[in-house]
Amino acid sequence: MIKKKVLVTGGAGFIGGNFVQYMVGKYPNYDIYNLDLLTYAGDLTKHKEIEQKENYHFLKMDIADREAIFTLFEKGKFDYVIHFAAESHVDRSITNPGVFVKTNVLGTQVLLEAAKQFEISKFVHVSTDEVYGELEFDPTTFFTEETPLQPNSPYSASKASSDLLVRAYYETFGLPINITRCSNNYGPFHFPEKLIPLTISRVLNEQKIPVYGDGKNIRDWLHVMDHCTAIDLVLHEGLVGEVYNVGGHNERTNLEVVKTIINTLGKSEELIEFVTDRLGHDKRYAIDPTKLENLGWKPTYTFETGIAQTIQWYLNNKEWWAQIISGEYQNYFQKQYSL
Ligand code: NAD
Ligand code: DAU
């Protein structure tokens, strides 16, 4: 079996965390290095089951710390870098955009420079469909890899900037890269500031659910494990220099999502509270995943099976999300919402 050294940035967060667990289990011959700054969004308690495994390692580090990153790459001799680390919440980018530029733009450039200097064999940049901007409410239109980048929030602008840097390192220096652009994820260990885990945790506590505007904005939901298998495939089979969209055709309005959760948990729809809309709120996202499907990817969850599994996970793992919403999160929630 071929041994590989794999650096995963942001592996204490939601998607990176699920990806680290997936890789540690699937590839015992790969050494998985989880590099994470442990911001408010990162936590290591999710890795209790793998932290003793021989092929799992943790490094607390800032991707924007050039000196530390270069020292690490010099010693580490990594084969692959899978880059998840980012500030990821649109609402926070509206109140505090600066850190999004530092981590998402500058941090990505530091990693690219180190990957170039120490000649890694594949750099997968985990990006987002939000870089394409928004679609109208026309069910026949989709984001393809050729859709122009038109980001609307400071978050998506910072991700689009990082995508362009990744592209430039391929075009200018021949760095072997791929970029993935996935739609909205949901599933285990999703931080409860995002719509689905926020709704589940608040419904379970019989608290009001803040729905922005009229609730008719549309997102295209993908279970996080389907995102993990997509990244695994792109890492191993993706054509160097290519962008791959990731999505499973699961478009729902926000109101449909919230009502599904409330009804599954047998609670009242009176918990819904329409609140002031998000500034610059993108209307609709919808992915055309044909290019990735042609590479051999197929999602395993529908929205119905995925949301049922996720709700059950939150019911079984109250300890995990209860410790998050009892801390600093309370201050965030008070400032963000007046509920
Ligand atoms: P998350 O906020 O849950 O996790 C981000 C992780 O990055 C955290 O563990 C945090 O501690 C770490 N981090 C932040 N700044 C860092 C720094 N300077 N140095 C090192 N680590 C740092 O995010 P997520 O939802 O898991 O998203 C992961 C990636 O996937 C992001 O790049 C995001 O843009 C992208 N993405 C997310 C979604 C989604 O629906 N959540 C969809 C498509 C793409
Ligand atoms: O599309 C991929 C993106 O999905 C990722 O790049 C981002 O990192 C991720 O956070 C997510 O962005 P969204 O802004 O779409 O996700 P969020 O869960 O914040 O919001 C989903 C929808 O729900 C959006 O239309 C806003 C709405 N919403 C959100 C919150 C937090 C509400 O109506 N009420 C809320 O309280």
Side-chain angles (χ1 to χ4, degrees), residues 88 128-130 155 184 195 210 212 219 254 278 281 337:
S88 70
T128 167
D129 61 357
E130 294 199 17
Y155 161 69
N184 287 61
L195 181 68
Y212 296 158
R219 296 294 181 264
N254 293 337
R278 174 185 279 176
H281 196 173
Y337 306 95

Side-chain angles (χ1 to χ4, degrees), residues 11-292:
F14 164 46
I15 310 174
N18 278 282
F19 184 74
V20 160
Q21 292 176 12
Y22 164 88
M23 292 294 280
V24 164
K26 180 165 177 191
Y27 297 104
N29 52 322
Y30 285 13
D31 267 320
I32 308 296
Y33 292 82
N34 169 13
L35 182 159
D36 200 293
L37 183 60
L38 300 181
T39 68
Y40 80 92
D43 95 288
L44 292 176
T45 64
K46 55 170 66 92
H47 291 321
K48 273 194 294 245
E49 314 242 312
I50 58 163
E51 64 193 7
Q52 300 305 332
K53 300 254 184 195
E54 268 179 29
N55 67 334
Y56 172 74
H57 316 270
F58 176 69
L59 307 154
K60 183 168 189 284
M61 213 173 273
D62 184 346
I63 56 166
D65 182 343
R66 193 177 190 281
E67 211 181 308
I69 291 292
F70 270 66
T71 306
L72 172 71
F73 271 68
E74 189 174 12
K75 283 199 201 126
K77 310 223 176 329
F78 301 114
D79 296 286
Y80 304 142
V81 176
I82 325 294
H83 176 34
F84 293 91
E87 287 294 332
S88 70
H89 193 37
V90 173
D91 291 330
R92 290 184 192 252
S93 83
I94 294 167
T95 48
N96 185 20
V99 67
F100 284 72
V101 176
K102 181 173 184 239
T103 292
N104 300 1
V105 186
L106 183 64
T108 300
Q109 192 272 332
V110 168
L111 289 171
L112 287 166
E113 193 59 30
K116 168 171 98 66
Q117 185 155 328
F118 297 100
E119 299 181 340
I120 61 105
S121 355
K122 181 65 88 70
F123 187 105
V124 179
H125 177 60
V126 181
S127 190
T128 167
D129 61 357
E130 294 199 17
V131 298
Y132 297 123
E134 66 176 355
L135 294 163
E136 293 300 322
F137 296 113
D138 165 5
T140 63
T141 57
F142 298 95
F143 293 136
T144 73
E145 290 80 1
E146 273 68 52
T147 303
L149 304 192
Q150 279 191 321
N152 293 319
S153 71
Y155 161 69
S156 53
S158 69
K159 291 295 291 187
S161 307
S162 64
D163 284 23
L164 295 180
L165 282 167
V166 175
R167 176 190 144 84
Y169 269 74
Y170 167 66
E171 294 290 343
T172 306
F173 306 112
L175 187 73
I177 61 98
N178 284 119
I179 297 174
T180 59
R181 295 190 181 131
C182 190
S183 62
N184 287 61
N185 282 214
Y186 66 100
F189 298 117
H190 201 180
F191 195 89
E193 66 187 347
K194 309 281 169 64
L195 181 68
I196 287 184
L198 180 143
T199 301
I200 299 173
S201 55
R202 289 185 68 84
V203 171
L204 287 172
N205 285 338
E206 310 245 8
Q207 292 166 315
K208 291 280 186 190
I209 315 304
V211 172
Y212 296 158
D214 59 11
K216 292 191 178 139
N217 300 59
I218 290 175
R219 296 294 181 264
D220 185 359
W221 295 96
L222 189 75
H223 192 277
V224 64
M225 284 322 293
D226 285 327
H227 191 184
C228 292
T229 60
I231 294 168
D232 181 9
L233 181 68
V234 169
L235 170 66
H236 292 100
E237 307 289 340
L239 287 181
V240 167
E242 294 292 314
V243 175
Y244 293 93
N245 282 353
V246 190
H249 289 298
N250 295 298
E251 287 183 55
R252 298 287 185 283
T253 67
N254 293 337
L255 212 46
E256 284 170 335
V257 169
V258 168
K259 285 185 179 177
T260 300
I261 295 168
I262 291 175
N263 294 328
T264 306
L265 289 168
K267 303 287 173 162
S268 163
E269 290 184 6
E270 284 179 12
L271 286 175
I272 294 170
E273 177 104 1
F274 291 96
V275 299
T276 311
D277 209 352
R278 174 185 279 176
L279 295 177
H281 196 173
D282 285 336
K283 289 192 204 93
R284 172 175 167 257
Y285 306 145
I287 283 280
D288 175 352
T290 309
K291 185 171 171 184
L292 187 66

